[in-house]
Amino acid sequence: MGMDHTTSSVADYYHEKAREIGRLASQSRSADVRLQLFEVAELFRRMAAHVGRRMSSENAGRNLDRATAREPSPVPIERGGHP
């Protein structure tokens, strides 16, 4: 479970950096600098999304492991009819 917290913290960190860089970009007087900063902010947003997706897929995998580790429920067998 510590991994979930760490992964979530990393995603939050990337989101915060994207916001900070976006604020800096909006304050810049240079159009070139503004564009470059917005591009860097977008990269941080993408990294945050990637970490978030990875965390979701890891959680789904753990849930699948738990589900398959359980004993299957009995299935009724119908008698009669075709062999």
Side-chain angles (χ1 to χ4, degrees):
M1 296 202 195
M3 184 59 137
D4 291 343
H5 177 69
T6 302
T7 305
S8 177
S9 297
V10 170
D12 291 344
Y13 172 82
Y14 287 150
H15 278 297
E16 180 55 32
K17 290 302 166 190
R19 286 188 290 272
E20 289 177 18
I21 294 167
R23 282 192 294 271
L24 290 172
S26 64
Q27 295 171 2
S28 176
R29 294 179 186 209
S30 167
D32 287 336
V33 170
R34 215 174 15 253
L35 178 61
Q36 289 176 5
L37 287 173
F38 279 132
E39 288 174 353
V40 170
E42 178 60 24
L43 289 174
F44 273 91
R45 278 194 273 298
R46 287 182 187 179
M47 288 189 299
H50 174 74
V51 169
R53 282 191 305 274
R54 190 168 164 198
M55 183 174 70
S56 293
S57 68
E58 287 174 3
N59 286 339
R62 273 195 290 276
N63 291 340
L64 180 60
D65 289 345
R66 283 188 208 123
T68 56
R70 293 187 191 130
E71 198 171 310
S73 58
V75 177
I77 300 174
E78 293 183 24
R79 306 253 181 217
H82 302 294

